[in-house]
Amino acid sequence: MSVLDRLGQKLLFTFDPETAHGMSIAALRCGLPVGARTVRDARLKVTVCGIEFPNPLGMAAGYDKNAEVPDALLGLGFGFAEVGTITPLPQTGNPKPRIFRLTSDEAVINRLGFNNEGHEAAERRLAARKGRAGIVGVNIGANKDSADRIGDYERGVARFAEHATYLTVNISSPNTPGLRNMQAREQLDELLSRVMAARARASAQPPVFLKIAPDLVEAELEDIAAEVTEKQIDGVIVSNTTISRPPLRSGDVARETGGLSGKPLFVRSTIVLAKMRKLLGPERAIIGVGGVDSADAALEKIRAGADLVQLYTSMIYAGPALPGRILAGMAGFAVQERLGSLRELRDAGLDRWAAKPL
């Protein structure tokens, strides 16, 4: 980290995590902070679902919940930004405090509960950027008290299809009671059928991704892969936060309930990624998320089967220059290994990661 980044982090860490998050959004709206020099290298380009990404590194959903700063995030060097999770109606989420830093582990526990301003506010902002360059995905969810959660996803597709480069169906947050039950095969069958029908009726047909949890067993992964294949879902995002607790050094805060993200999630999420790649085959798109904090970590996700990678938590600890540093490292690796494209690296470690136990 630069001296400026360290000073900025020190300032933000004097505030509680949720206040600091709001301050970072406000700073991006004002044109700050400044990231590292933008890395443009043809070897980093990747085409996924017919979309040409300038590089494979994206900002994961959860940071820009209300689609306030997608273009500012792209300005930090990200090849794409995913906004949301957005629900049809505004909701406040779970009681505060609900975000906890595990500084010694470079991790975070959150139990936010899809706090967001709802479809109308996000659509207004996304419509205002019509015509601008840049890949922006929209992550859609269901309201906590909805009488028809699948209907909420249909409404999300209808509302954002024309504004999104791709859509993500998020049924894997641990912080909305019962949401992860939608990953079970019978519910997933109905959900994906209705989502794809909604896309067919929409004014545009962006790719649809399904975001899954890392806390799944082999049989559940097999069921999800079967439904994704049968319903012709364009891709899978692996993974959301985990409710498990690997060995952590952060004391009492590690016992807070909620989803754990950051460095401790890397191994589990990468194993699930590789197993899903094995189940889906080589053609279906996969975005790898969880513990990406360096060029080496991003490259390892690609070796395990990812076409694209995302991060979020690591920027809390490494600052806004992190995307540029990761991309510079990835480009340098491509030069060193004489790769024409990073795509050549995909699946190089697939068998090794897929063989690991969950």
Side-chain angles (χ1 to χ4, degrees):
M1 293 177 69
S2 69
V3 172
L4 186 61
D5 285 347
R6 289 187 187 280
L7 289 173
Q9 183 198 63
K10 188 173 182 179
L11 172 64
L12 287 176
F13 275 33
T14 63
F15 297 91
D16 70 88
E18 193 155 353
T19 299
H21 176 264
M23 292 173 66
S24 72
I25 292 282
L28 283 170
R29 280 202 305 265
C30 296
L32 295 170
V34 178
R37 181 177 58 85
T38 301
V39 176
R40 302 188 188 279
D41 191 311
R43 285 163 289 218
L44 298 180
K45 291 181 180 179
V46 58
T47 299
V48 178
C49 299
I51 303 164
E52 185 175 281
F53 291 76
N55 67 66
L57 184 66
M59 171 58 93
Y63 177 74
D64 187 10
K65 289 179 174 292
N66 295 303
E68 297 177 86
V69 290
D71 293 293
L73 290 170
L74 295 173
L76 295 180
F78 287 110
F80 61 109
E82 187 172 319
V83 301
T85 298
I86 307 168
T87 58
L89 300 176
Q91 60 182 28
T92 57
N94 294 320
K96 299 179 182 180
R98 53 194 182 178
I99 308 177
F100 306 90
R101 297 187 193 103
L102 284 67
T103 306
S104 299
D105 299 289
E106 296 181 39
V108 164
I109 292 172
N110 93 81
R111 51 174 180 262
L112 287 162
F114 286 172
N115 58 308
N116 74 108
E117 296 173 3
H119 280 183
E120 185 177 347
E123 184 187 24
R124 184 172 62 249
R125 294 182 182 115
L126 291 168
R129 70 175 303 276
K130 187 174 182 179
R132 295 183 195 171
I135 297 169
V136 178
V138 178
N139 186 299
I140 56 175
N143 282 112
K144 179 179 180 179
D145 58 357
S146 174
D148 179 10
R149 284 184 172 176
I150 293 179
D152 282 8
Y153 289 98
E154 291 176 304
R155 286 186 280 278
V157 172
R159 194 108 193 206
F160 294 109
E162 66 176 303
H163 304 298
T165 312
Y166 69 88
L167 292 166
T168 297
V169 175
N170 184 3
I171 55 172
S172 51
S173 169
N175 301 316
T176 297
L179 189 75
R180 285 190 170 191
N181 295 340
M182 298 180 81
Q183 295 174 119
R185 188 158 190 178
E186 185 175 340
Q187 291 193 55
L188 190 60
D189 179 5
E190 182 182 0
L191 170 69
L192 297 183
S193 295
R194 288 172 60 177
V195 161
M196 295 305 279
R199 186 183 71 166
R201 296 190 299 268
S203 58
Q205 284 76 45
V208 172
F209 287 78
L210 178 69
K211 188 165 187 175
I212 66 171
D215 308 305
L216 296 163
V217 299
E218 301 264 5
E220 291 170 320
L221 292 175
E222 291 168 5
D223 285 348
I224 290 170
E227 289 298 326
V228 164
T229 301
E230 181 184 318
K231 304 305 186 297
Q232 297 187 0
I233 302 301
D234 297 280
V236 178
I237 300 182
V238 186
S239 67
N240 214 313
T241 58
T242 182
I243 58 174
S244 69
R245 293 293 183 266
L248 297 167
R249 295 171 290 183
S250 298
D252 290 346
V253 70
R255 290 191 283 274
E256 293 287 348
T257 59
L260 174 72
S261 63
K263 184 171 286 191
L265 182 56
F266 179 80
V267 172
R268 174 83 187 196
S269 63
T270 307
I271 293 170
V272 175
L273 159 64
K275 290 181 183 294
M276 187 55 69
R277 172 58 73 199
K278 284 279 193 178
L279 291 166
L280 291 175
E283 300 305 320
R284 198 79 53 184
I286 297 181
I287 301 177
V289 199
V292 175
D293 61 357
S294 65
D296 287 343
L299 292 167
E300 199 60 28
K301 291 282 189 186
I302 295 172
R303 290 187 186 96
D307 299 289
L308 303 164
V309 296
Q310 291 177 322
L311 60 79
Y312 171 10
T313 301
S314 56
M315 274 189 61
I316 295 170
Y317 295 102
L322 180 63
R325 292 200 298 270
I326 288 177
L327 293 170
M330 295 173 83
F333 176 85
V335 170
Q336 177 185 319
E337 298 299 316
R338 300 182 180 180
L339 301 177
S341 168
L342 283 182
R343 177 75 177 192
E344 298 170 32
L345 190 66
R346 208 200 78 180
D347 299 345
L350 177 58
D351 291 339
R352 172 168 50 85
W353 278 103
K356 295 178 183 289
L358 289 171

